[in-house]
Amino acid sequence: MPNLILPASFRALLGEFRQTFTAPSFQNFVLLVCGFVHALGQHRLTNALRAVGSLAPKHFTTYYRFVSRARWSLDEFGLTLLAVVLAGFGSHVVVRLVLDDTLTHRTGKKVALATSHADPVLKQSNGRPFISYGHVFVVLSVHVSAPWVASTGWALPFLFRLFEGSKQGGKLDSPSDQRREQNRRLAGKTPRRRVRLRDQKVVDGKLVPCKPEPDTGPLPDKGRPTKLQLATELILLVARRFPNVRFRVLADHLYTGEAVLDGVHSQVSNVHFIMRGRPDAALFTLPPPRKQGQRGRPRVKGEQLPCPEAWAKSHPEAFRRETISMYGKSVEVELASYLGMPYRSLPGRLVRYVIVRDPRGIYRPAYLFCTDPDVPDTEVVEEYARRWPLEVAFEASKQKLGIEHPRTQLPTAVRRSAPFGMLLYSLTIIWYLRDGCRLAGFATLPPDAWYLKTARPSFADMLACLRRASWSQWFSDPSCNTADRQQILAEYLDRVVASG
């Protein structure tokens, strides 16, 4: 393998994923990771190849085929990453998994599997959600704590599923495509026959993989998996791979349906959930035991309990003030809880509903629930607050690693390109927590006079530390004379400037 400008500790971390690739694909993987680390502009495959320059010995189409056709599994890579995290940071009794989804914006009707989705960030003036075109990925991440670096933790994405919406957008060519085809006809050239492809189809009501074929429209609703079904698939994949590990899934209210809660608890026993619930949730007691000689089918639910909002109003004496740790700060809140069975989403099991109120009355009450009734109220609230780092991971992956920049159009490439950037986010943080934090003293610039020191390093700081550690190792090599070092530095600067 060529001498890539990466620190030895980071190359050793990449070596732990060698078994998930073939030998040629692993070389391509390491080279692309190096290119994405050092690319200062948009993070497309072309920019990554420019950043490594002559260190990429193969034809450029080989690296495009790495994301579109190469034989490697995104799931196996993610599960290996989780095993690395458990081996290095798995001292906790319960491993926290954070679940959410994110929208990556795309343009072009030939982009495979792209559909229209409600943008959670943008809203119209009338309050309705703004519709954006692109890909939505359901992401499962693992929460990592490193008290020697910061009091708060990080969410490391490692498993992904692409969600396809029901609307694909317009079918007509854009004006630029029409002009391009007209110019080709005037020049006597054959028309370009680019078609939108898909790699899955519905057969007998089931979604099955197939060879790439022309896309004839969105999948039917009966065969198209929902976000909840994709999330269940990811959680079960992890729970079955690590049956001796206890997991606690932290998710928003969008994933509180039966497909997730009952779909997971009915198949595995090493997973519990902490989620935001509904203030008007229908809760019941457990069904009473069947009496001897009783006729008819057994009862499936007991007496109906007040909904969380009504219960909080009728039990003001149940609230108590507690000081909890949220987002790195100590916060005083009022807590109360009671047990109930959500029959529609999790029949036959009691959950603990926790009502959180602000003593100052500024924020609205929050209603959380935990499928493990033995977890204390304060722990439920503190655990749910650990869901936020995944939002930070999405922002950093889009702004610093450019997961929306690639212009891939084939189905397999679409499924891999954005997750590849989020996996690089996870690898960078793992390296920093294991080795990079010890190099931060000399591998970072002095703080600016207008920059206030924060309690934890940002991802931009970690990525800058990785780059400067690479530079210090390769440009300060004592075995190189001054002329060789200057030549290496000049070639590197040419490549990096070209990639921007």
Side-chain angles (χ1 to χ4, degrees), residues 458-473:
S458 64
F459 177 75
D461 298 331
M462 297 181 180
L463 186 60
C465 180
L466 176 58
R467 288 169 175 166
R468 291 181 62 85
S470 305
W471 302 339
S472 63
Q473 178 174 341

Side-chain angles (χ1 to χ4, degrees), residues 339-359:
L339 299 179
M341 180 188 69
Y343 173 71
R344 291 186 178 275
S345 57
L346 195 58
R349 294 179 65 101
L350 288 177
V351 302
R352 178 172 296 278
Y353 249 87
V354 181
I355 298 97
V356 188
R357 295 194 314 196
D358 182 10

Side-chain angles (χ1 to χ4, degrees), residues 40-229:
L40 301 180
Q42 293 190 343
H43 286 66
R44 301 173 181 172
L45 289 179
T46 305
N47 299 87
L49 294 179
R50 287 196 185 105
V52 296
S54 60
L55 298 180
K58 304 176 184 178
H59 194 269
F60 69 91
T61 56
T62 303
Y63 304 101
Y64 281 90
R65 287 196 296 268
F66 172 79
V67 295
S68 63
R69 299 179 183 178
R71 294 184 301 168
W72 60 280
S73 172
L74 200 61
D75 288 347
E76 287 300 322
F77 188 96
L79 294 173
T80 303
L81 189 145
L82 179 59
V84 171
V85 171
L86 295 180
F89 309 94
S91 59
H92 301 283
V93 178
V94 179
V95 177
R96 307 179 186 94
L97 302 178
V98 187
L99 175 68
D100 207 344
D101 56 80
T102 185
L103 168 65
T104 59
H105 299 83
R106 296 296 302 271
T107 57
K109 69 168 190 173
K110 300 297 191 301
V111 178
L113 313 179
T115 49
S116 299
H117 305 273
D119 198 319
V121 178
L122 304 176
K123 286 188 177 180
Q124 301 181 24
S125 58
N126 55 8
R128 296 181 179 179
F130 193 85
I131 303 301
S132 296
Y133 185 74
H135 300 107
V136 169
F137 288 91
V138 179
V139 181
L140 188 64
S141 64
V142 56
H143 188 277
V144 173
S145 299
W148 60 90
V149 177
S151 59
T152 55
W154 293 265
L156 309 182
F158 68 96
L159 283 182
F160 314 88
R161 285 293 184 273
L162 178 64
F163 168 72
E164 295 185 47
S166 58
K167 299 181 180 179
Q168 290 187 345
K171 301 293 184 181
L172 298 178
D173 289 332
S174 63
S176 60
D177 285 340
Q178 295 176 9
R179 289 193 301 269
R180 188 179 299 110
E181 291 302 322
Q182 182 180 4
N183 293 336
R184 292 183 67 87
R185 287 195 301 268
L186 294 177
K189 298 180 181 180
T190 57
R192 300 182 65 180
R193 299 188 181 279
R194 294 188 303 166
V195 295
R196 177 184 171 120
L197 302 177
R198 70 163 45 255
D199 59 351
Q200 290 181 335
K201 61 182 179 181
V202 177
V203 178
D204 296 333
K206 295 182 179 180
L207 190 65
V208 296
C210 64
K211 293 183 178 180
E213 59 183 26
D215 190 354
T216 57
L219 294 172
D221 292 339
K222 292 185 178 180
R224 181 168 48 87
T226 64
K227 292 182 182 180
L228 276 67
Q229 293 172 338

Side-chain angles (χ1 to χ4, degrees), residues 218-494:
L219 294 172
D221 292 339
K222 292 185 178 180
R224 181 168 48 87
T226 64
K227 292 182 182 180
L228 276 67
Q229 293 172 338
L230 296 175
T232 302
E233 182 181 348
L234 295 178
I235 297 171
L236 292 177
L237 182 64
V238 175
R240 289 166 176 166
R241 175 62 69 92
F242 302 93
N244 298 324
V245 180
R246 294 175 55 195
F247 295 101
R248 181 177 292 168
V249 179
L250 316 176
D252 204 356
H253 67 283
L254 298 177
Y255 292 92
T256 57
E258 180 183 6
V260 175
L261 296 177
D262 190 54
V264 172
H265 279 289
S266 62
Q267 301 188 53
V268 295
S269 60
N270 59 334
V271 178
H272 283 287
F273 293 89
I274 293 180
M275 296 181 172
R276 181 184 292 271
R278 295 175 57 96
D280 58 347
L283 302 177
F284 302 84
T285 62
L286 290 177
R290 186 177 178 84
K291 298 180 181 180
Q292 186 176 3
Q294 181 179 353
R295 295 184 178 183
R297 70 180 183 89
R299 292 186 62 177
V300 294
K301 56 185 177 182
E303 301 298 327
Q304 184 169 5
L305 299 173
C307 67
E309 186 177 22
W311 188 92
K313 293 180 180 179
S314 61
H315 295 79
E317 74 284 352
F319 285 88
R320 63 192 185 280
R321 290 204 173 191
E322 298 282 355
T323 301
I324 61 176
S325 176
M326 296 177 60
Y327 313 113
K329 298 180 180 180
S330 295
V331 181
E332 191 178 54
V333 296
E334 293 181 351
L335 300 178
S337 67
Y338 71 109
L339 299 179
M341 180 188 69
Y343 173 71
R344 291 186 178 275
S345 57
L346 195 58
R349 294 179 65 101
L350 288 177
V351 302
R352 178 172 296 278
Y353 249 87
V354 181
I355 298 97
V356 188
R357 295 194 314 196
D358 182 10
R360 301 169 297 174
I362 299 177
Y363 300 101
R364 292 179 298 178
Y367 304 90
L368 311 178
F369 73 89
C370 178
T371 58
D372 185 358
D374 298 330
V375 178
D377 299 350
T378 55
E379 186 176 349
V380 171
V381 181
E382 291 176 347
E383 289 288 276
Y384 184 77
R386 293 186 172 94
R387 190 189 65 85
W388 182 252
L390 184 55
E391 303 290 347
V392 179
F394 291 154
E395 179 187 17
S397 299
K398 294 176 182 179
Q399 295 186 358
K400 303 301 178 182
L401 296 177
I403 62 174
E404 296 178 317
H405 295 163
R407 293 295 180 259
T408 50
Q409 296 185 357
L410 297 179
T412 305
V414 164
R415 297 182 190 276
R416 288 175 172 178
S417 56
F420 185 85
M422 285 186 270
L423 289 172
L424 179 56
Y425 172 89
S426 301
L427 291 173
T428 303
I429 292 182
I430 293 175
W431 171 83
Y432 185 88
L433 299 182
R434 284 178 21 174
D435 303 290
C437 58
R438 296 193 297 268
L439 306 175
F442 69 90
T444 57
L445 293 172
D448 298 317
W450 57 87
Y451 179 74
L452 298 178
K453 180 68 175 178
T454 57
R456 51 176 279 163
S458 64
F459 177 75
D461 298 331
M462 297 181 180
L463 186 60
C465 180
L466 176 58
R467 288 169 175 166
R468 291 181 62 85
S470 305
W471 302 339
S472 63
Q473 178 174 341
W474 287 95
F475 300 148
S476 303
D477 188 359
S479 62
C480 296
N481 55 40
T482 304
D484 294 339
R485 187 178 296 114
Q486 291 179 352
Q487 181 180 0
I488 295 175
L489 178 59
E491 294 178 354
Y492 174 78
L493 291 178
D494 290 341

